[in-house]
Amino acid sequence: MGRKTAASSAKSKEKRMQRKEEQNRISQAMAVVAQANKLEDPLQPFPVFRKFNKNGLEAELFAKKSTNLDEFIKEWSFNLTKKNMQLKYEQCSWGWCDSKKREELFDEAAWYLVAKGLDGTLLGFSHFRFDIDEGQEVLYCYELQLDPSYQRKGLGKFMMQVLELVAFKNSMKKVVLTVLKNNQSSKFFKALNYELDESSPIDDEEESYPYEILSKINKRLVPHQSPMKVNSHHCCSGHDHHH
Ligand SMILES: CC(C)(COP(=O)(O)OP(=O)(O)OC[C@H]1O[C@@H](n2cnc3c(N)ncnc32)[C@H](O)[C@@H]1OP(=O)(O)O)[C@@H](O)C(=O)NCCC(=O)NCCS
């Protein structure tokens, strides 16, 4: 009500512009995600990364949407996740629920990166999605599970490198994941230079969270800065939210 002054209408115009800009950004992000979800084979540009051979372990990798995945691979991925994670979920406030995990794993937005041995033995998999997270286009790694017999041979690290290649090739802003604090895997992801994401919840007197959110940023999409600017940025530290 009442008359708008020149200053207040300028302000509301600015707000409208900001809203419009934000909407444009989100629809751009959604278009990038939709494009990635149309891929037939995300590994196609990286033939070298279809094979792993290290520490006496040989593997072949492929990537598929959950809707195209064989039933027995789906069943195996559920059983492996349950074997690796059930106790850890039960030891914190999350709890374990078969049907919820199945729903998440077999959602039609789910993508799989699967590693199998040369004789066809299934070794490990990642469930990932191209998605919008906190308004940004990201590759969200929901799961990385290796059969215990094939852990600590470098395959997990290799699979994360493949996910990063796929994410950044398809213009995702970052690779994001949630890890339980009671799980050794935090050490694994930190060894791979994953950092606490700005969306990771911070414990206070009222609530402590059993998980943290880690991420790796796509450096190619960070605006280019001159050396002078990089220095000054470093001095005022853009990383305060990490502490
Ligand atoms: C976590 C997991 C994916 C790691 O894959 P991996 O193939 O075993 O790990 P890598 O051999 O590639 O390890 C790379 C580096 O990460 C670190 N690392 C890996 N596992 C670690 C552990 N349990 N404790 C401490 N550091 C670890 C090490 O620095 C390691 O290098 P090194 O072996 O030369 O010391 C795998 O162990 C796994 O499936 N665990 C059970 C399921 C799980 O917790 N998944 C993650 C949450 S979704």
Side-chain angles (χ1 to χ4, degrees):
M1 292 289 169
R3 255 174 71 190
K4 275 194 175 168
T5 62
S8 81
S9 87
K11 223 177 176 182
S12 67
K13 188 173 179 200
E14 196 182 309
K15 266 196 178 162
R16 262 203 319 276
M17 298 269 285
Q18 272 177 1
R19 253 205 315 271
K20 185 107 185 102
E21 242 172 65
E22 179 63 13
Q23 277 165 359
N24 283 345
R25 240 192 35 71
I26 298 269
S27 38
Q28 255 176 27
M30 284 167 74
V32 172
V33 166
Q35 194 63 33
N37 275 321
K38 277 194 218 142
L39 287 170
E40 192 57 47
D41 176 11
L43 302 193
Q44 194 253 327
F46 318 109
V48 170
F49 285 85
R50 289 186 196 273
K51 285 200 189 303
F52 172 86
N53 187 359
K54 214 175 166 188
N55 297 319
L57 183 62
E58 274 193 80
E60 284 175 353
L61 274 70
F62 66 87
K64 268 190 185 174
K65 270 198 129 163
S66 72
T67 43
N68 296 330
L69 206 63
D70 292 341
E71 274 312 309
F72 83 95
I73 300 188
K74 284 188 177 177
E75 217 30 49
W76 161 82
S77 67
F78 170 75
N79 289 327
L80 175 58
T81 307
K82 183 168 170 146
K83 177 164 82 174
N84 280 349
M85 305 308 291
Q86 181 169 16
L87 190 62
K88 282 162 185 147
Y89 277 42
E90 284 170 352
Q91 282 167 344
C92 76
S93 57
W94 279 5
W96 178 267
C97 172
D98 277 358
S99 60
K100 265 196 197 154
K101 188 47 92 179
R102 279 181 184 280
E103 217 174 281
E104 181 184 281
L105 278 169
F106 309 147
D107 190 288
E108 58 178 44
W111 278 90
Y112 281 74
L113 176 68
V114 179
K116 49 181 196 174
L118 302 187
D119 62 356
T121 312
L122 294 164
L123 311 175
F125 79 98
S126 169
H127 158 204
F128 66 97
R129 299 188 194 180
F130 301 108
D131 209 349
I132 303 287
D133 185 62
E134 308 274 324
Q136 288 190 315
E137 55 278 43
V138 305
L139 185 152
Y140 212 109
C141 172
Y142 275 69
E143 216 77 65
L144 176 65
Q145 301 292 339
L146 264 57
D147 191 278
S149 323
Y150 309 111
Q151 292 177 8
R152 286 314 277 270
K153 291 176 186 290
L155 180 59
K157 181 175 173 177
F158 184 78
M159 290 174 76
M160 285 312 297
Q161 284 169 341
V162 172
L163 290 186
E164 287 160 23
L165 283 171
V166 167
F168 300 156
K169 175 82 186 166
N170 291 286
S171 306
M172 299 296 137
K173 291 263 163 57
K174 50 189 178 179
V175 174
V176 190
L177 45 98
T178 303
V179 284
L180 279 175
K181 291 178 185 166
N182 70 5
N183 193 357
Q184 287 295 318
S185 65
S186 251
K187 291 199 181 119
F188 164 74
F189 288 114
K190 284 174 183 160
L192 269 57
N193 295 320
Y194 278 75
E195 291 183 345
L196 208 56
D197 190 75
E198 54 195 356
S199 68
S200 196
I202 297 164
D203 290 352
D204 56 31
E205 292 112 54
E206 276 160 33
E207 192 154 7
S208 71
Y209 300 85
Y211 64 92
E212 56 191 2
I213 300 170
L214 305 179
S215 63
K216 191 182 275 191
I217 289 170
N218 184 352
K219 295 221 171 71
R220 287 192 301 181
L221 293 181
V222 174
H224 181 72
Q225 293 181 323
S226 68
M228 275 289 288
K229 268 194 165 164
V230 168
N231 274 341
S232 63
H233 176 77
H234 185 71
C235 289
C236 31
S237 173
H239 300 287
D240 284 351
H241 54 264
H242 288 181
H243 304 296

